[in-house]
């Protein structure tokens, strides 16, 4: 058992089973043993690869999407150009490079990163040398400015709660000890009023996931966009309205047992985009329809950009480039699994590549 596993086992032995959300939070963010607090998990040497690490095209097109929003809203200055969960800083660096083609935009931009991991903050600082980013632990720390924000593969790592349908009630999935090892279990069956509306559309044994932190963060972002202007793009994997067990672990680019090595594997769950949309709208922001990543990128012109970048390439570099384009857009790869949604001010044009919610 890992050092964090031993700590959690002692806690459970003393106080009883813990909710899955507590387990995820400890595994990912424990200051001494948490997955994100102690390493750079990205790329071939890590455990997973995100879209910005696959190709510069992703960050360039996202940057130009936000740039068009900035132009459509009258070029506000100054404004906060923010990213939550900025990884290695690759996405922000690519966005800023694309934004240099927009007169006046970089001069008006104040770069802000919401990042809790000291290890990743150091990596981001190297990627953004000379750009003077400011870091925040929470979105509440962002300045009171027009907010142009991106969250790429951020919400999937927030701790979730899982509830299993039992009769007309729900049993929360917990983490317990079994034969001196961490293992999943179930709490008592309760009515759980927040899920009362899901009883009519679920069956015995169905699992519904909730993410209180996601709704709170999306609400804060939506409030700022609605009040001060800007746009917030969310890119992640998931769907509309949670149903089913999507909790998973990834280590060395392969699925792993999420209870086997606490703190040593990435833990994620699919994002409920309906919950994000409701949180945005509740704070007065307009919301776009959920759109597959591949469709979004194709509408923004990724095929033309890929053709330009392919000029002069041959052999393995060309094959790698074409594979990156396919991976980002093809329905059998990231193109369909990953979705995009945005919040923007009422009365303004939606971000390019996305349609207003119907």
């Amino acid at each position: 058992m890992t050092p964090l596993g031993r700590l959690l086992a002692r806690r459970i032995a003393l106080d009883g089973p813990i909710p899955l959300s507590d387990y995820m939070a400890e595994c990912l963010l424990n200051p001494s043993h948490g997955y994100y607090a102690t390493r750079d998990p990205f790329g071939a040497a890590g455990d997973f690869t995100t879209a910005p690490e696959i190709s510069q095209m992703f960050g360039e097109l996202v940057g130009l999407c936000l740039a068009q929003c900035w132009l459509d809203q009258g070029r506000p200055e100054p404004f906060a150009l923010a990213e939550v969960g900025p990884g290695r800083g690759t996405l922000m660096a690519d966005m800023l490079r694309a934004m240099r083609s927009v007169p006046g935009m970089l001069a008006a931009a104040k770069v802000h990163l919401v990042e809790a991991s000291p290890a990743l903050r150091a990596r981001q600082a190297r990627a953004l040398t000379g750009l003077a980013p400011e870091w925040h632990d929470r979105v509440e720390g962002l300045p009171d400015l027009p907010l142009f924000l991106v969250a790429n593969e951020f919400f999937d790592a927030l701790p979730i709660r899982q509830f299993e349908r039992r009769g007309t009630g729900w049993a929360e999935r917990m983490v317990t000890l079994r034969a001196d090892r961490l293992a999943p279990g179930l709490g008592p069956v309760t009515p759980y009023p927040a899920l009362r509306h899901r009883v009519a559309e679920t069956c015995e044994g169905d699992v519904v996931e909730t993410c209180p932190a996601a709704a709170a963060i999306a609400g804060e972002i939506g409030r700022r966009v609605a009040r001060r202007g800007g746009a917030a793009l969310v890119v992640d994997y998931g769907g509309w309205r949670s149903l089913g067990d999507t909790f998973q672990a990834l280590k060395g680019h392969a699925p792993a047992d999420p209870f086997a090595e606490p703190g040593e594997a990435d833990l994620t769950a699919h994002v409920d985009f309906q919950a994000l949309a409701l949180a945005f709208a509740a704070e007065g922001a307009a919301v776009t329809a959920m759109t597959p990543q591949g469709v979004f990128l194709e509408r923004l012109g990724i095929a033309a950009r890929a053709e330009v970048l392919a000029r002069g390439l041959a052999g393995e570099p060309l094959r790698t480039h074409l594979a990156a384009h396919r991976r980002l857009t093809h329905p059998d790869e990231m193109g369909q699994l990953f979705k995009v949604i945005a919040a923007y001010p009422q009365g303004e044009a939606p971000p390019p590549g996305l349609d207003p919610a119907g």
Side-chain angles (χ1 to χ4, degrees):
M1 192 178 287
T2 63
L4 180 58
R6 288 192 290 271
L7 289 175
L8 291 170
R10 284 197 291 270
R11 174 181 166 184
I12 292 169
L14 288 171
D15 301 328
I18 61 174
L20 184 61
S21 54
D22 286 8
Y23 177 75
M24 279 189 73
E26 286 294 321
C27 287
L28 297 177
L29 298 173
N30 181 280
S32 300
H33 305 293
Y35 180 77
Y36 284 112
T38 57
R39 75 200 68 207
D40 173 0
F42 300 95
D47 295 314
F48 57 88
T49 303
T50 60
E53 306 291 338
I54 293 170
S55 171
Q56 69 186 69
M57 295 184 292
F58 180 83
E60 290 171 348
L61 293 173
V62 168
L64 292 176
C65 176
L66 289 179
Q68 187 61 55
C69 293
W70 181 72
L71 293 171
D72 290 342
Q73 295 182 35
R75 306 170 183 252
E77 57 177 302
F79 71 91
L81 178 62
E83 184 178 359
V84 291
R88 291 173 164 176
T90 304
L91 174 55
M92 180 59 75
D94 289 342
M95 288 168 55
L96 288 165
R97 186 177 62 254
M99 288 174 176
R100 287 195 182 99
S101 64
V102 183
M105 190 169 189
L106 288 192
K110 307 296 180 185
V111 178
H112 292 267
L113 305 175
V114 179
E115 177 61 70
S117 166
L120 290 176
R121 283 190 181 194
R123 189 67 186 255
Q124 293 152 17
R126 293 195 294 272
L128 300 171
T129 300
L131 296 169
E134 293 186 34
W135 282 270
H136 309 274
D137 291 328
R138 300 165 59 87
V139 293
E140 289 83 356
L142 292 170
D144 188 23
L145 295 170
L147 177 63
F148 294 81
L149 177 145
V150 62
N152 179 64
E153 290 198 56
F154 167 76
F155 284 98
D156 65 88
L158 295 179
I160 62 161
R161 299 175 71 182
Q162 286 187 331
F163 297 88
E164 192 170 309
R165 168 83 181 277
R166 287 288 181 262
T168 59
W170 302 89
E172 183 164 10
R173 288 188 166 182
M174 312 289 281
V175 179
T176 187
L177 282 174
R178 190 176 301 128
D180 295 324
R181 297 190 65 81
L182 297 171
L186 284 177
V189 177
T190 64
Y192 198 62
L195 289 180
R196 188 177 292 125
H197 66 292
R198 301 299 305 271
V199 172
E201 61 187 38
T202 53
C203 301
E204 182 76 10
D206 279 351
V207 174
V208 170
E209 297 172 342
T210 68
C211 186
I217 292 169
E220 176 66 17
I221 292 169
R223 183 184 67 82
R224 289 166 177 264
V225 167
R227 186 167 58 88
R228 293 303 310 269
L233 290 174
V234 176
V235 186
D236 226 313
Y237 58 92
W240 192 261
R241 204 169 178 84
S242 164
L243 182 62
D245 179 0
T246 71
F247 179 55
Q248 60 188 341
L250 200 66
K251 185 175 182 181
H253 298 268
D257 180 348
F259 303 103
E261 297 181 276
E264 296 297 320
D266 182 37
L267 302 180
T268 67
H270 285 205
V271 173
D272 181 351
F273 281 88
Q274 184 192 48
L276 297 184
L278 291 172
F280 287 147
E283 296 295 337
V287 184
T288 66
M290 184 181 72
T291 302
Q293 175 179 291
V295 173
F296 173 68
L297 294 175
E298 293 293 355
R299 287 176 176 177
L300 293 178
I302 193 172
R305 181 58 176 154
E307 184 177 344
V308 170
L309 292 174
R311 294 171 188 165
L313 297 180
E316 187 58 31
L318 179 59
R319 285 190 290 273
T320 299
H321 172 63
L322 295 176
H325 180 204
R326 175 185 168 85
R327 187 171 176 188
L328 290 173
T329 61
H330 197 279
D332 291 340
E333 301 206 31
M334 297 176 73
Q336 182 64 37
L337 175 62
F338 281 73
K339 311 295 196 308
V340 186
I341 198 172
Y344 62 103
Q346 296 284 350
E348 297 288 352
L354 300 172
D355 298 318

